[in-house]
Amino acid sequence: DIQMTQSPSTLSASVGDRVTITCRASQSISNRLAWYQQKPGKAPELLISQASTLQSGVPSRFSGSGTGTEFTLTITSLQPDDFATYFCQQYNTYWTFGQGTKVEIK
Amino acid sequence: EVQLVESGGDLAKPGESLRLSCAASGFLFRTVWMNWVRQAPGKGLEWVAHIKKESDGMTTDYAAPVKGRFIISRDDSKNMLYLQMNGLKAEDTAVYYCTWNYYGWEKNWGQGTLVTVSS
């Protein structure tokens, strides 16, 4: 099984901050990685697929990068609507999610 | 507009069965792959089951914790996805989401249905 490890688990930040979340795979997954945002009581929403392809309607302050085993999600200027939990997911071999990163207000 | 609406979540005792349903609309359901993904209270996301479209053999896959107990199926004539859950355990307690699995990633999610397993 492919394990996905996200860091940090919690991130305290202020509006306007640049935020980076890391996701590591236990083996190479090429670019088969997606990022999701989840707000309390809601279903996750797709932000990025194929490691770096921004979904339609997702603000350009979100970006993804990486290949192989190490990936990052960056929010260039954190907005109030961005305080949420973020999950990575590999879809190279079945599907596995990272444990999530909660972005909270500092 | 794509819509996925789950139903069937309930309180069940250990060992009992439940059947979840997911009504799909706004896209050509019979041409897509589908997943069930669950989230235990306060926890992360866990893939549960997968079903391919009919032209790909409608083959299924299951996560290890549910293999042999859960069955995923679909009725393309009704645009419906199902998850038959047998031999429920306390650790199956979660919100269950149906998702449109698009080239591997979860393109759309339903709102979820809560399954609670407790004596």
Side-chain angles (χ1 to χ4, degrees), chain B residues 12-87:
Chain B
K13 291 182 169 54
E16 291 186 342
S17 299
L18 280 178
R19 188 198 199 201
L20 305 184
S21 300
C22 172
S25 60
F27 62 103
L28 209 51
F29 180 74
R30 64 177 173 82
T31 67
V32 310
W33 294 3
M34 298 292 292
N35 273 348
W36 285 99
V37 175
R38 68 184 180 184
Q39 187 170 36
K43 301 297 184 183
L45 300 164
E46 179 185 29
W47 165 69
V48 173
H50 170 77
I51 188 165
K52 290 182 168 52
K53 57 189 177 182
E54 185 178 19
S55 61
D56 290 331
M58 214 177 282
T59 53
T60 58
D61 284 298
Y62 298 92
V66 308
K67 201 166 189 176
R69 297 189 297 124
F70 290 11
I71 300 170
I72 186 173
S73 62
R74 62 193 296 163
D75 184 338
D76 292 341
S77 68
K78 296 180 179 177
N79 288 354
M80 293 292 295
L81 179 73
Y82 303 102
L83 186 68
Q84 177 67 41
M85 305 188 295
N86 302 321

Side-chain angles (χ1 to χ4, degrees), chain A residues 43-102:
Chain A
E45 292 186 358
L46 177 66
L47 296 175
I48 288 169
S49 62
Q50 297 174 284
S52 60
T53 302
L54 203 64
Q55 297 306 294
S56 174
V58 175
S60 59
R61 61 181 179 273
F62 290 90
S63 65
S65 64
T67 188
T69 62
E70 188 149 340
F71 303 86
T72 59
L73 172 70
T74 300
I75 311 172
T76 52
S77 177
L78 200 64
Q79 298 301 300
D81 191 49
D82 301 338
F83 292 98
T85 300
Y86 295 84
F87 293 93
C88 61
Q89 177 206 33
Q90 70 80 20
Y91 49 91
N92 184 72
T93 306
Y94 298 110
W95 298 269
T96 319
F97 293 87
Q99 79 276 19
T101 296
K102 183 177 182 180

Side-chain angles (χ1 to χ4, degrees), chain A residues 14-53:
Chain A
S14 302
V15 172
D17 283 355
R18 179 186 179 94
V19 162
T20 298
I21 298 168
T22 298
C23 185
R24 288 188 174 88
S26 59
Q27 63 189 73
S28 178
I29 58 170
S30 184
N31 69 336
R32 295 182 181 88
L33 184 106
W35 289 97
Y36 303 87
Q37 178 193 67
Q38 186 178 34
K39 295 181 180 177
K42 300 292 188 183
E45 292 186 358
L46 177 66
L47 296 175
I48 288 169
S49 62
Q50 297 174 284
S52 60
T53 302

